[in-house]
Amino acid sequence: MSSRLVLVGNVIADLVIEVPTLPERGGDVIGTRSGTTVGGGFNTLVAARRLGTEVAFAGLHGTGPHGDLVRAALAAEDITTLLPARAEGDTGFTVALIDGGGERTFVTSFGVEATLTQSDVDVVATRLRPGDLVQLSGYGLVMPGNGPLLSGLTAGLPADITVCLDPAPLVADIPASVLGPVLARTDWLSANARESRLMTGHTDPRSAAVALRERLAPGAGVIVRADKDGCWLAAPGQAPTHVPGFPVDAVDSNGAGDAHIGAFLALLSQGHDPLTAAHGANAAAAYAVGRRGPATAPDRVALGEFLGEHPLAERLFGGGGH
């Protein structure tokens, strides 16, 4: 039986604005398109769910319009929630600016998801199942209240649960007392080039992958995502390997890293080896960046069609069946 992916983190609203260029300090630009969608860890959950993995959201959600939007989006993707709605406030939001090159820049304002309590953590711990993959994000660890609680939860997880960490853009602001225990318990770490540089000082992705794995426990693995260049995979006990990307015309990179993480974990949970899962994650991320809008990760049929006659299709789906 495939494992379940459980996000112990944040799903929030995204106010997305497309702009020709980012404004200079004190300046202004006219947006060409805008909309409010669901983001944060939602894109990771969706990417895994669409590839056939059972997923659950184990974070907080509020009772205002943003919280309602989050729950509706989760339900539409057949994603369960492990914690009840918080009555005292709304879910937070991010302003995502997407420039003419498809790059994204964020400003985040947290809501009830920043008010985690020990009782919440205890509930989550009781609802985890043997074999689950627990996904953590640096966005949760950087919060003054949530960080120590999530760190303590992670450190105490049994060995039959796989811990996956996305350090996120604010990783340099996570206190060492919070990040250290999480790294010691992490089984898979997936970071982009900027995050890996902040954590290691290395600009070369291969060197960063090696340095990151040295910060983890023996037997852990690392992925350094390199956008159009694919990723570097440092699987447990193996030398780092470059996994090439799939060439596409990028139109919206918002959520690409989440799509990569979700696809990698989904394929890993379904019994694929890390190298195959990394190839599949590169394909899912390439598919996502070639489409505008939120949560653009492919389902199994779409990924199979994207791959076409590529040998990876046979390895992932066997005989053309999706």
Side-chain angles (χ1 to χ4, degrees):
M1 179 179 295
S2 296
S3 303
R4 179 180 63 163
L5 176 61
V6 180
L7 175 70
V8 184
N10 304 322
V11 172
I12 60 178
D14 274 355
L15 173 57
V16 181
I17 307 174
E18 295 183 11
V19 295
T21 60
L22 293 179
E24 63 180 329
R25 185 181 184 194
D28 193 2
V29 296
I30 304 299
T32 57
R33 188 195 305 252
S34 67
T36 302
T37 61
V38 177
F42 178 69
N43 293 324
T44 300
L45 293 174
V46 167
R49 186 71 192 97
R50 289 180 182 171
L51 291 181
T53 291
E54 181 184 356
V55 299
F57 172 49
L60 297 173
H61 42 106
T63 50
H66 292 158
D68 293 342
L69 180 70
V70 163
R71 280 184 295 278
L74 291 170
E77 295 286 346
D78 193 27
I79 300 170
T80 58
T81 57
L82 300 188
L83 293 173
R86 274 279 169 83
E88 62 269 27
D90 199 3
T91 294
F93 64 95
T94 285
V95 177
L97 301 176
I98 303 175
D99 66 27
E103 188 56 84
R104 71 275 189 257
T105 302
F106 301 115
V107 179
T108 300
S109 176
F110 289 122
V112 297
E113 63 277 0
T115 63
L116 197 70
T117 67
Q118 184 63 53
S119 296
D120 297 322
V121 169
D122 293 343
V123 170
V124 170
T126 62
R127 295 184 178 176
L128 293 176
R129 306 192 306 227
D132 278 346
L133 290 84
V134 169
Q135 172 69 13
L136 288 163
S137 168
Y139 279 119
L141 298 176
V142 78
M143 298 179 189
N146 290 19
L149 292 173
L150 292 174
S151 180
L153 170 68
T154 304
L157 290 176
D160 56 14
I161 288 178
T162 298
V163 175
C164 318
L165 174 64
D166 169 15
L170 299 176
V171 61
D173 298 325
I174 301 174
S177 60
V178 170
L179 185 59
V182 173
L183 292 176
R185 182 58 185 82
T186 293
D187 298 292
W188 281 101
L189 186 150
S190 177
N192 65 24
R194 176 183 177 275
E195 293 156 2
S196 65
R197 175 177 58 78
L198 289 174
M199 296 182 72
T200 67
H202 292 288
T203 57
D204 172 63
R206 185 189 188 280
S207 299
V210 172
L212 284 172
R213 192 166 62 179
E214 290 175 352
R215 296 188 64 181
L216 307 179
V222 169
I223 286 180
V224 175
R225 308 186 305 274
D227 299 327
K228 62 182 177 60
D229 293 326
C231 66
W232 281 86
L233 171 70
Q238 299 179 22
T241 300
H242 178 239
V243 186
F246 291 78
V248 293
D249 293 327
V251 298
D252 185 353
S253 65
N254 191 22
D258 295 328
H260 194 283
I261 294 169
F264 176 77
L265 295 178
L267 296 172
L268 203 66
S269 76
Q270 293 165 21
H272 294 286
D273 63 89
L275 182 58
T276 298
H279 277 292
N282 284 353
Y287 178 97
V289 301
R291 286 150 181 83
R292 294 186 185 277
T296 51
D299 60 18
R300 293 173 67 85
V301 172
L303 185 57
E305 292 174 348
F306 176 79
L307 291 170
E309 298 300 316
H310 194 286
L312 180 62
E314 173 71 20
R315 281 151 56 195
L316 292 179
F317 306 119
H322 304 161

